[in-house]
Amino acid sequence: MPNESEDTSLSKESNEIDTFSGQYQGSGERRPALVFLRGELLAVPIPLERNEVTLGRALDADVRINDVRASRLHARITTESDEATGEARYSLTDLGSTNGTLLNGRPITQAFLADGDKFEVGDQLIRFEMLDEIDREFQQQIHRLLVHDELTGLLTGKSFFSELRREAARAEAESMPFCVQMMDIDFFKEVNDTYGHLVGSETLEEVGAVIKQSLRAGDVGARFGGEEFAAFLLDADYAQGLVAAERVRSSIENHEFSAVRRGSGEEPRTHHITISIGVASFPDDARDPIQLVEMADSALYQAKRSGRNRVCPYRLNAFSGDPLARLKSRQE
């Protein structure tokens, strides 16, 4: 039994359970946020930090939703002060959208939001929540787990396509070029067969790190599964995209990958691998982002057929001479 002089309650700690109220103490101010429960932005907590926040497909919408059933400016959330209490309250207004806005399953023109309410914009299901700091961090962790590949930390294939579609719309509106790269490790089965699947997994993890380090800030890398990776480069023309792909290829070729499982206690040994990369460019090859991925994938297989460990553009005749050399000479 505990000594009677000892205080065995939990109330001394500032962040413990208050046994009288049953509420968590010290969790910080609760602030309004939108949490996506369905759609491309799944689990993303978006804080409502302005008095008016618009949702829709338009580039100038505060919360941009890539959904064909959502209107360009679909709905608006407004923060206002309750005249009686002085407390903030939040109203949801449909902006004359084509498919309407549903609040808790019912169509609305304008209605006030309560904590936990769910509303639909196109095919997106969104929950209005009052979140404290712990809640926000929890939601962010869930989002990171959902959108990032667990092994490499790069985006998953699904998240890659979501980001690509969003950025392609922006590139189209701003007449800005971008490139898509599809990558595949050469003869990766030999790594698993020679060193084992655990070393193979660690090799994939290292490949993800090398790709991440080789890309520019703002570029987006992803693992599609197995030994296949992808990236898209914003504001990059064809030649710049090929130079970036060559930087990834060269970095992989020159990197010393561990041939020994981490924590095995074995003498350190290394092995080398190579990677093949296909590149397609917006708007030179296509304007549709999915078609660009298919073209980059086609270029990847051309790189494989041409001997592997190389970069191949979708349009082999897009340049006279070596595009990498041409860009370097232009920069000198």
Side-chain angles (χ1 to χ4, degrees):
M1 293 181 60
N3 189 308
E4 291 183 0
S5 64
E6 293 178 355
D7 186 350
T8 59
S9 73
L10 300 176
S11 59
K12 280 191 171 182
E13 300 295 333
S14 60
N15 285 338
E16 300 286 2
I17 297 293
D18 182 331
T19 55
F20 294 99
S21 67
Q23 294 181 342
Y24 194 84
Q25 303 297 305
S27 55
E29 180 184 358
R30 299 174 76 226
R31 298 177 181 176
L34 304 179
V35 178
F36 281 71
L37 304 180
R38 186 173 65 222
E40 291 185 347
L41 297 174
L42 183 64
V44 178
I46 299 177
L48 298 177
E49 297 177 337
R50 288 187 281 189
N51 288 336
E52 285 193 358
V53 174
T54 55
L55 300 91
R57 286 189 296 110
L59 290 176
D60 56 350
D62 298 309
V63 179
R64 191 149 60 93
I65 297 173
N66 188 30
D67 185 330
V68 294
R69 296 194 68 250
S71 296
R72 288 179 53 76
L73 291 177
H74 193 107
R76 179 177 61 238
I77 296 176
T78 306
T79 304
E80 54 189 72
S81 178
D82 187 303
E83 293 182 0
T85 65
E87 295 182 353
R89 58 180 185 173
Y90 308 91
S91 65
L92 173 66
T93 303
D94 181 81
L95 299 177
S97 65
T98 301
N99 294 306
T101 301
L102 301 182
L103 176 61
N104 297 324
R106 296 183 177 182
I108 59 102
T109 301
Q110 190 274 338
F112 286 105
L113 292 167
D115 189 10
D117 276 348
K118 302 179 184 69
F119 63 95
E120 295 175 59
V121 173
D123 287 329
Q124 316 293 307
L125 180 62
I126 306 165
R127 183 168 60 209
F128 173 80
E129 290 195 65
M130 300 297 294
L131 302 179
D132 61 26
E133 185 178 346
I134 294 173
D135 293 329
R136 289 191 293 272
E137 177 59 28
F138 176 68
Q139 288 294 155
Q140 288 165 358
Q141 288 181 12
I142 291 176
H143 176 62
R144 283 193 290 268
L145 289 172
L146 287 172
V147 303
H148 290 93
D149 174 60
E150 184 178 4
L151 185 63
T152 64
L154 299 173
L155 290 184
T156 63
K158 181 178 179 180
S159 300
F160 177 84
F161 279 111
S162 297
E163 290 295 320
L164 178 60
R165 281 191 288 264
R166 204 164 11 252
E167 293 302 334
R170 183 183 297 277
E172 181 79 55
E174 298 178 1
S175 299
M176 181 177 67
F178 71 89
C179 287
V180 173
Q181 301 174 351
M182 293 297 291
M183 318 176 218
D184 191 83
I185 301 173
D186 301 322
F187 302 113
F188 184 71
K189 184 177 182 298
E190 294 182 3
V191 176
N192 287 330
D193 291 345
T194 304
Y195 306 107
H197 287 273
L198 290 177
V199 169
S201 293
E202 291 173 3
T203 297
L204 290 172
E205 185 179 350
E206 288 186 66
V207 168
V210 173
I211 290 174
K212 197 180 302 183
Q213 291 166 5
S214 301
L215 295 175
R216 307 169 305 174
D219 295 338
V220 177
R223 180 183 174 216
F224 270 32
E227 63 269 29
E228 192 170 14
F229 295 81
F232 67 82
L233 286 67
L234 301 175
D235 197 16
D237 62 22
Y238 225 138
Q240 290 170 319
L242 290 170
V243 167
E246 173 60 23
R247 186 165 59 245
V248 172
R249 187 209 63 77
S250 176
S251 297
I252 294 292
E253 182 182 33
N254 294 314
H255 186 81
E256 293 188 344
F257 293 88
S258 175
V260 177
R261 178 175 54 83
R262 282 196 292 265
S264 66
E266 297 180 39
E267 192 72 22
R269 289 178 288 120
T270 61
H271 71 97
H272 289 270
I273 59 173
T274 60
I275 196 166
S276 299
I277 306 176
V279 181
S281 174
F282 169 94
D284 299 286
D285 292 322
R287 308 191 82 89
D288 178 71
I290 306 304
Q291 191 176 359
L292 280 172
V293 171
E294 293 172 345
M295 289 175 168
D297 201 45
S298 176
L300 165 62
Y301 282 98
Q302 178 61 36
K304 293 280 191 183
R305 288 191 295 269
S306 301
R308 294 179 168 82
N309 188 26
R310 64 193 61 211
V311 173
C312 184
Y314 176 73
R315 289 198 300 162
L316 292 174
N317 60 347
F319 303 96
S320 56
D322 182 356
L324 303 180
R326 189 186 73 170
L327 181 63
K328 289 175 183 175
S329 64
R330 194 172 69 190
Q331 293 174 333
E332 290 175 352

